[in-house]
Amino acid sequence: QAIQAINGYTNMSAEEFTNMIFQKIDVNNDGELTLEEFINGVERDEDLMELITKSFDLSNVLKVIQSG
């Protein structure tokens, strides 16, 4: 939920967000993501790559912490 909030995906529930990710990158449809599936899936999907990149950009979080 925190990653969704940071990136503006507040219009989706955590479950919907998770389902979207799995639909995009769980290539063998086993309901689990291996590290390989995750990396390959993110590399293939431009929107997901942007989302993950923003997720690891903690500058907005640091600004909130600094401002109290």
Side-chain angles (χ1 to χ4, degrees):
Q1 288 174 331
I3 291 173
Q4 288 174 271
I6 289 169
N7 293 294
Y9 279 84
T10 54
N11 61 333
M12 296 175 117
S13 72
E15 184 176 354
E16 290 169 328
F17 182 77
T18 302
N19 288 339
M20 178 202 52
I21 299 300
F22 272 78
Q23 287 174 357
K24 288 181 177 239
I25 63 178
D26 183 17
V27 293
N28 63 0
N29 295 314
D30 67 353
E32 297 181 4
L33 290 180
T34 64
L35 181 57
E36 183 179 351
E37 281 178 314
F38 180 78
I39 291 170
N40 290 334
V42 170
E43 288 176 341
R44 283 192 319 268
D45 190 298
E46 193 173 303
D47 293 331
L48 192 53
M49 177 64 89
E50 182 179 344
L51 172 68
I52 297 299
T53 301
K54 286 181 181 178
S55 297
F56 291 105
D57 176 9
L58 300 177
S59 58
N60 289 334
V61 174
L62 293 175
K63 288 176 189 174
V64 170
I65 292 170
Q66 288 175 339
S67 67

